[in-house]
Structures are given as structure tokens and as C-alpha cells.
Amino acid sequence: MLNRFSTPILVVGLLFLSHIPAQAQPLPKIKLRPVFSALPLDRPVWMCQPPDASGRFFVVEQPGKILVIPKGGNGSQVKEFLNIEDRQTYIEAGQNTGIGLMSMAFHPGFASNGLFYIFYAQQNSNQTGQFPGRNVISELKVSAADPDRADMDSERILLEVPEPFRNNQGGLLSFGPDGYLYISLGDGGSNNDPFNSGQNVCSLLGKILRIDVNTRSGKGKKELPYGIPKDNPWVGEPEMGKNSGARKETYAWGLRMVWRYSWDRKTGDMWAGDVGESNWEEIDRIVNGGNYGWCVREGAHHFKPGAPGAQYIDPVMEYPHSAKLLAESEFPKHAPGVCVIGGYVYRGKKYPSLDGIYIYGDFVLGSIWGFRYAEGKVTDYGTLLEQPKNINSFAEDADGELYVLSFTDHTNGRIYAIEAE
């Protein structure tokens, strides 16, 4: 019950809390609010907005469509921007999120050049209903006659990467703050990375690549349809020698299956959720030339023998598949999970209590967690929300507000805005 002392005490308390540094305040709880309520979705896996001030949302459906939702819409006025379902990019595989049409990215100059990029899996021509034999990165343009339609005749294939197995394809392409296109590729699948792709610098698998879509590299028959940034880690390798076959597109390696990554729009830090295999899921801060250990390590733990003396970058955060393993982790208070989904550092304006928190989740459990990171270490971490829906991706709008893309069952999906309670 309030009394005559309550108001001044309350004011003093609020003033005190307002002066506590954000990193010292407890992690807030969050809730999910449904958006685009009139829009039925078939396995939504990615959502983004173009850098053209239109306010449109583009939603990628795994079977092969990209939909456009107008600014302020509830989904009832949705348009079909692109459809490659006839290419059979997606083969039904339960809840596997590693095949199909997986993501799209807009060129930083999209407002003037109309260029965008897609990442999809494709069967080889001699296959019928089997595993998609390669990943394809393509550049396309928006139709000159309709800004809400893709010009399919404009497709220019930049990169095709053979995949030895049907899982661990990777999944994201996105432009970084430096204007280059980044691409995440998994180790190719199966168990235990049988070809040691994560540590093989001559393979594109198990890597994050970085290319320049505005230039070309090489000459004659060796010319590539893209350029190689001069500070990529293997650019300086000679044509002959130990690492002569190192792929110069590589930016970081030793990664098993980075399905989603992002940049902190305030600091420029790159964050990735790397899906584990046997015991550990991890969040990594990705740096140029970084080796994150797979398949010699899973998380911060030994997995199988590797090169003597090799140096690996520890994950910033990890969690196990079983509570029995928590004692072996640096983060014993973290709940167990099954399949990490990388998210974003919140930098929106609506919820100051979330500022600076990296928000991520688990595909299978639906749990959403967060941590604060400062001066090279995690300062606080915990559960933000427990809920049962599968989380297959997070998304960030032009204002820095965050969303969750979810499967409500094996086919249908919904999109939710993240709000602080």
C-alpha cells in the first residue's frame, strides 16, 4: 500500500537505477508479438529490408519463394517477388534448415542499381529427388517495370560450391559494413567432417567467405565473376608452396555450420551461431583470418586430432546438448539445447533495456537467450524467454528492431516482433 513516503522513495529508486551502467543491470525478459497476421507462410527462413527507404519487408520461404510486404502492411497485400520452386531447391527433409532457398541480400547501392543476391541449394542434373549437389550464389536485378518483381533473366551466377552430403550447407549471405559480400558455408555434412573441410584451407566448405561483387579477379580462363578483397587472409599466398591451393575467398574457417551471422551496427563486430554436432553449440565473434577449431574442436572442447601447435579462437559463448556437461563449460548456468540459431546485438530504440545484448536462440527448443559482452568477455548471460515454437532465424529491420521467424509445424510459419517486458 502506498503512503506519504512512497513517492519520494520511488523517485529516488528510479534515479538510482537510471545511473546503473547497462552492463550491470539484470537481463530483461522478452515476449513475442505476432506481426503480418494476414500472411500465411511456408517455412519462412529469412527476412530483411532493402536500403531504399521504401520500408518494404522481403521474406524468404525455404521451398523457393521471396515475398514482398509493403510498409505498414499486415501481410494481406503481399506480392511474389521471386519464385524458383521449379528448380527443386528444397527437398523435404523433416525440419532440416540447411537446404532450399536460404537467404537473400541487397547490394548497398540497391536504391540506384537494383541488384540483389540469393543463396540456394541445387540438385545436380543427373539427380532425381536426391540430395542438392551444390550451393549457388547468384546476382539478380529488380524488374525495370515493377519494383516488386525480380528480373529472372538477369541472373548471373557468382559461385557454385559442390556439396558432398545433404546437410550442413551453410545458409547466409549478407553485406558487411565494408561493402563486401559475406557467405557462410557449412562443412558439407555427414558426421565428424569426414573430409576435414573445416581445417582444409583449400576447400570452401566450413568457412565464411568474403568477396567483392563490384570487381573481377584473375585473367583469361581463370577470371572470376567477383573480386577478392586485398586483406583476405590467403591473398598473399604464393602459387607454389604448402598453402598454394588456399582459397582466397576465405575470410574465416574452422566452422561447422554457420546458419546465421550478423553485425553489431554500433561496434561493427561480426557474430555467428555455429551449429554443433555431438555435444556443443557455440557463438563466435568472427574476425579476419580467424580459425575457430572445427573439426579439431567442438566449441572449446577436443573433438578429434589436429595439427600440432595449431591455434584456435575460443567461442564467446557455448552450451551443451546435455545438462551433464554443464560442469565442463565456462558457462555452467546456461540451459542445454540442441541447435543454435545466431541472432543480433540489439541496437533499436524501443527497448533501452535490451541495448547491447546479443540475442540468440535454439531451433529445436525455442528458447531465447542473451548475453552482454564487454572488453573481450561475457559479463552476464541468461534466458530471456522460454517458448515452444521452432526458431529458424532472427531478423533485424532498418531501425534495429528484432524479429523471430518460426515454424509452427513442418510447413507453416509465423513472424514475431521481439519486445521487452
Side-chain angles (χ1 to χ4, degrees), residues 116-318:
F116 69 96
Y117 302 81
I118 58 175
F119 184 148
Y120 62 96
Q122 187 66 76
Q123 296 180 92
N124 291 330
S125 58
N126 63 345
Q127 292 177 310
T128 56
Q130 300 299 313
F131 126 89
R134 63 194 187 279
N135 279 332
V136 182
I137 309 299
S138 286
E139 175 188 88
L140 297 95
K141 293 192 71 171
V142 170
S143 167
D146 185 352
D148 290 329
R149 293 285 293 181
D151 177 2
M152 297 306 300
D153 293 332
S154 71
E155 183 174 11
R156 181 172 74 96
I157 294 177
L158 300 182
L159 186 63
E160 292 186 286
V161 183
E163 293 285 347
F165 303 100
R166 67 177 300 158
N167 57 336
N168 293 9
Q169 308 297 305
L172 185 60
L173 71 169
S174 179
F175 283 90
D178 54 12
Y180 295 129
L181 183 64
Y182 292 71
I183 304 162
S184 64
L185 291 174
D187 67 5
S190 190
N191 296 320
N192 307 324
D193 191 8
F195 303 119
N196 295 328
S197 298
Q199 294 299 308
N200 180 3
V201 299
C202 299
S203 170
L204 293 178
L205 300 176
K207 312 293 189 298
I208 288 179
L209 314 181
R210 182 174 69 159
I211 63 174
D212 182 357
V213 299
N214 299 316
T215 62
R216 307 289 184 271
S217 62
K219 295 180 180 179
K221 293 182 179 180
K222 293 186 177 181
E223 184 180 66
L224 298 172
Y226 51 84
I228 305 292
K230 294 181 179 179
D231 62 337
N232 276 11
W234 298 108
V235 165
E237 287 298 317
E239 293 301 318
M240 301 294 291
K242 178 181 178 182
N243 295 315
S244 59
R247 295 302 300 257
K248 295 176 171 56
E249 298 93 336
T250 297
Y251 181 77
W253 66 97
L255 297 157
R256 181 178 179 270
M257 167 59 180
V258 174
W259 169 244
R260 295 294 180 247
Y261 60 83
S262 67
W263 283 270
D264 182 337
R265 58 170 59 195
K266 179 178 179 179
T267 67
D269 287 343
M270 185 179 184
W271 295 96
D274 193 13
V275 178
E277 181 163 311
S278 298
N279 292 315
W280 298 95
E281 306 295 307
E282 66 183 273
I283 301 292
D284 296 303
R285 179 174 171 268
I286 304 296
V287 297
N288 190 354
N291 182 350
Y292 293 85
W294 178 255
C295 55
V296 177
R297 298 198 311 174
E298 185 184 33
H301 309 270
H302 174 78
F303 190 78
K304 66 182 184 180
Q311 298 295 310
Y312 309 114
I313 298 176
D314 285 335
V316 172
M317 174 60 67
E318 66 173 8

Side-chain angles (χ1 to χ4, degrees), residues 11 22 37 137 158 213 248 355 357 360:
V11 171
S37 57
I137 309 299
L158 300 182
V213 299
K248 295 176 171 56
D355 183 59
I357 297 174
Y360 59 107

Side-chain angles (χ1 to χ4, degrees), residues 11 39 44 47 58 81-82 92 129 140 164 178 184 210 254 308 342 346 356 364 400 418:
V11 171
L39 177 61
M47 184 175 77
F58 287 68
F81 178 71
L82 175 147
E92 181 60 41
L140 297 95
D178 54 12
S184 64
R210 182 174 69 159
Y346 180 83
V364 176
I418 291 178

